[in-house]
């Protein structure tokens, strides 16, 4: 019993980075639901500081950052964030979601579609 009490006190004093990271991520989602993107960005910065050894959370943080940028009508920045997710985490579910957001931005006219490369033969 004494050990459990000491362990709980030690964790509360020192803090567990995973608990702290989850706490800040939950706060970011709550702030996003309230429409407070400034608070979201602050909480996401805290998550990034706590998640240095936990890269599995990075695509989720980037996705939320892109959604906030989109909500603030910073469409080019949001699109670049989505492209970063696709390039950095191509096999994650967030890459799939980022592609969908890019397509939505393009269909709404907020982001120009990529120009496709056209092969032209040289003429002599």
């Amino acid at each position: 019993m004494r050990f459990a009490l000491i362990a709980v006190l030690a964790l509360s004093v020192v803090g567990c980075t995973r608990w702290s990271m989850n706490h800040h991520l939950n706060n970011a989602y709550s702030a996003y639901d309230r429409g407070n993107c400034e608070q979201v960005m602050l909480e996401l910065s805290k998550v990034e500081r706590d998640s240095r050894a936990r890269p599995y959370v990075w695509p989720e943080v980037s996705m939320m950052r892109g959604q906030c940028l989109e909500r603030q009508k910073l469409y080019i920045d949001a699109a670049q964030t989505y492209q970063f997710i696709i390039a950095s985490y191509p096999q994650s579910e967030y890459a799939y979601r980022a592609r969908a957001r890019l397509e939505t931005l393009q269909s709404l006219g907020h982001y120009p579609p990529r120009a496709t490369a056209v092969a032209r033969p040289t003429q002599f």
Side-chain angles (χ1 to χ4, degrees), residues 18-88:
R18 183 173 181 186
W19 288 347
S20 177
M21 180 185 70
N22 289 341
H23 170 73
H24 292 301
L25 196 55
N26 289 336
N27 287 346
Y29 277 110
S30 295
Y32 184 79
D33 288 340
R34 291 189 311 270
N36 186 352
C37 281
E38 292 79 21
Q39 184 67 32
V40 171
M41 295 299 189
L42 176 65
E43 294 294 336
L44 291 178
S45 294
K46 292 177 182 178
V47 171
E48 285 181 331
R49 280 195 300 266
D50 291 340
S51 69
R52 302 234 188 255
R54 293 173 176 83
Y56 60 86
V57 79
W58 297 346
E60 182 178 5
V61 168
S62 296
M63 187 70 190
M64 181 165 275
R65 180 169 283 119
Q67 289 173 326
C68 254
L69 289 168
E70 213 176 316
R71 186 175 273 184
Q72 293 173 322
K73 298 183 185 242
L74 300 170
Y75 301 116
I76 301 298
D77 295 333
Q80 289 176 345
T81 302
Y82 297 144
Q83 289 173 343
F84 167 78
I85 295 168
I86 293 167
S88 300

Side-chain angles (χ1 to χ4, degrees), residues 7 12 36 45 55 66 82 87 101 105 118 120:
S12 66
N36 186 352
S45 294
Y82 297 144
R101 292 304 315 151
L105 286 175
V118 177
R120 296 185 183 139

